[in-house]
């Protein structure tokens, strides 16, 4: 039976490593320590060593040309020297995200925000440069840009189908999100269907969904007036708009109907639109339109259907 062997320490290799470490310590004491003291003031050797390590990391960061160069630490150090309770100066190294990591994180936040906002897929990543400005929509584009500069009030885009109302509203929403604010973009029939389905979903409460729609920084209601205006639906719409009106939160609405016809439509649950009908069995629609008239600037988009 063979006897177990005992590995022996390579004393020569150990001596070489020790000599290199000792030489580096002596170099630090001779060159780096005096320089750091001159720059930051008197301090203990171990504090100066912390600053020296941070300086080397900063030197690497300054040569960085983008995220492929970022090491495991996605942040860069910031050096300060503070006086401790014992009146001795201490090196304090704080870390903050580097500019490239900050930029990437911002893009991730925007992507999550776009998804949460429910921007229609065909309009994702579109900007004003993608929107064809004509005599039929130039005023709407101008007002949209004015809205983004103030974030106050709201916009009511109306006109025939295919005139670019939803497209323009989605661009405004995406530009709004770039200011690190929240937004929800939804066509009204789908939003109402989501609210209805929450009655059967124990994990989602309708009150929570209503609260989100009322409190989000910007709410975009697309195609208002195309939903079946049951009393339940009209009451939900009024509740959302009224809460935003009272909180002075902006709203953007698109519709095929101007405000007068929209009021009639919402005042007649489950009925087909008839322009000359004088009966108003429900006034909630008028209350909705009254709020929108005060909150929003009304802009008509004209022209032919661009979808053809």
């Amino acid at each position: 039976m063979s006897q177990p062997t005992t590995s022996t320490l390579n004393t020569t290799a150990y001596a070489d490593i020790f000599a290199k470490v000792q030489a580096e310590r002596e170099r630090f004491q001779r060159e780096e320590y005096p320089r750091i003291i001159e720059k930051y003031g008197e301090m203990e050797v171990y504090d100066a060593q912390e600053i020296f390590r941070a300086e080397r990391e900063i030197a690497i960061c300054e040569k960085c040309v983008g995220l492929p160069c970022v090491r495991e630490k996605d942040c860069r150090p910031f050096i300060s020297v503070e006086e401790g309770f014992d009146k001795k100066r201490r090196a304090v190294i704080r870390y903050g995200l580097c500019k490239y990591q900050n930029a990437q994180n911002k893009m991730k936040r925007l992507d999550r925000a776009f998804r949460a906002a429910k921007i229609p897929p065909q309009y994702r990543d579109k900007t004003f440069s993608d929107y064809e400005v004509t005599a039929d929509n130039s005023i709407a584009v101008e007002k949209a840009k004015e809205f983004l500069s103030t974030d106050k009030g709201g916009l009511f885009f109306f006109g025939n189908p295919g005139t670019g109302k939803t497209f323009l509203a989605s661009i405004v929403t995406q530009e709004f999100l770039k200011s690190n604010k929240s937004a929800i973009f939804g066509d009204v029939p789908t939003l109402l269907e989501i609210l209805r389905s929450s009655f059967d979903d124990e994990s989602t409460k309708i009150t929570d969904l209503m609260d989100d729609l009322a409190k989000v920084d910007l709410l975009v209601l697309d195609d208002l007036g195309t939903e079946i205006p049951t009393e339940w639906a009209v009451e939900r719409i009024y509740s959302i708009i009224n809460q935003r009106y009272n909180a002075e939160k902006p709203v953007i609405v698109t519709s095929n109907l101007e405000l007068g016809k929209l009021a009639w439509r919402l005042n007649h649950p489950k009925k087909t639109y008839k322009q000359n009908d004088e009966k108003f069995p429900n006034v909630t629609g008028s209350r909705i339109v009254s709020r929108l008239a005060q909150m929003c600037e009304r802009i008509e988009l004209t022209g032919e259907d661009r979808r053809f």
Side-chain angles (χ1 to χ4, degrees):
M1 184 174 180
S2 61
Q3 296 295 322
T5 58
T6 303
S7 61
T8 59
L9 178 66
N10 188 330
T11 55
T12 303
Y14 180 82
D16 288 344
I17 294 172
F18 181 81
K20 289 179 180 178
V21 171
Q22 188 61 30
E24 179 60 27
R25 285 177 179 173
E26 291 175 357
R27 191 195 69 80
F28 177 83
Q29 292 274 9
R30 185 177 61 255
E31 300 176 11
E32 304 297 344
Y33 187 39
R35 176 186 63 79
I36 291 172
I37 288 176
E38 183 180 357
K39 183 175 181 179
Y40 295 99
E42 290 290 337
M43 66 182 67
E44 299 290 344
V45 174
Y46 59 80
D47 283 300
Q49 288 171 336
E50 287 295 310
I51 289 179
F52 182 59
R53 279 192 285 269
E55 286 179 337
R56 286 190 295 184
E57 290 188 40
I58 291 172
I60 294 172
C61 285
E62 288 176 347
K63 295 178 182 178
C64 178
V65 294
L67 279 174
C69 296
V70 175
R71 295 152 301 129
E72 290 184 5
K73 283 185 176 178
D74 53 1
C75 49
R76 67 173 291 165
F78 296 89
I79 301 171
S80 64
V81 178
E82 301 174 7
E83 190 175 275
F85 69 92
D86 55 0
K87 304 301 181 181
K88 290 184 178 181
R89 296 172 67 78
R90 296 277 189 264
V92 179
I93 312 300
R94 296 183 174 89
Y95 286 85
L97 289 178
C98 76
K99 61 182 180 180
Y100 297 110
Q101 192 64 42
N102 263 328
Q104 186 186 63
N105 289 352
K106 181 179 180 181
M107 292 305 298
K108 288 181 178 178
R109 285 196 302 271
L110 279 175
D111 186 64
R112 289 195 297 269
F114 289 155
R115 294 180 188 279
K118 308 299 183 185
I119 303 292
Q122 65 269 36
Y123 300 130
R124 282 285 304 273
D125 302 322
K126 299 296 184 181
T127 66
F128 283 107
S129 62
D130 298 304
Y131 193 83
E132 183 183 356
V133 181
T134 67
D136 298 320
N137 58 33
S138 59
I139 295 177
V141 173
E142 179 184 340
K143 295 299 181 181
K145 292 180 178 179
E146 287 179 8
F147 168 79
L148 287 168
S149 67
T150 61
D151 292 350
K152 293 181 179 179
L155 299 168
F156 181 83
F157 295 137
F158 69 97
N160 292 329
T163 51
K165 303 181 295 298
T166 299
F167 190 0
L168 183 56
S170 70
I171 291 173
V172 175
T173 306
Q174 293 179 89
E175 293 297 325
F176 187 88
L177 287 168
K178 292 176 183 178
S179 61
N180 204 26
K181 296 181 180 180
S182 60
I184 294 177
F185 185 110
D187 67 277
V188 176
T190 300
L191 285 177
L192 290 173
E193 188 58 38
I194 292 172
L195 291 174
R196 287 192 192 94
S197 64
S198 66
F199 284 118
D200 302 319
D201 186 354
E202 295 181 357
S203 65
T204 306
K205 295 181 179 178
I206 187 172
T207 52
D208 293 336
L209 294 173
M210 292 286 290
D211 196 52
D212 289 341
L213 295 172
K215 293 183 177 180
V216 68
D217 292 328
L218 173 65
L219 176 64
V220 181
L221 297 175
D222 189 38
D223 275 341
L224 180 60
T226 59
E227 71 286 341
I228 299 175
T230 64
E231 291 186 11
W232 179 90
V234 174
E235 287 294 338
R236 299 291 81 71
I237 295 170
Y238 173 74
S239 176
I240 294 165
I241 291 177
N242 188 55
Q243 287 185 66
R244 298 190 66 82
Y245 170 79
N246 291 332
E248 297 184 336
K249 285 186 170 293
V251 62
I252 295 176
V253 178
T254 74
S255 179
N256 294 331
L257 306 173
E258 54 85 19
L259 286 182
K261 295 179 180 179
L262 181 62
W264 193 100
R265 171 69 172 161
L266 297 175
N267 280 334
H268 291 75
K270 295 185 178 180
K271 290 189 177 183
T272 303
Y273 172 70
K274 295 179 182 179
Q275 185 172 358
N276 297 322
D277 196 322
E278 299 298 333
K279 296 176 63 179
F280 284 84
N282 186 334
V283 296
T284 306
S286 296
R287 294 160 69 193
I288 291 172
V289 167
S290 176
R291 295 289 188 272
L292 292 178
Q294 294 179 68
M295 297 169 70
C296 301
E297 187 161 4
R298 287 162 277 178
I299 308 103
E300 183 178 11
L301 284 81
T302 58
E304 298 181 354
D305 191 333
R306 298 186 179 187
R307 298 190 183 102
F308 290 100

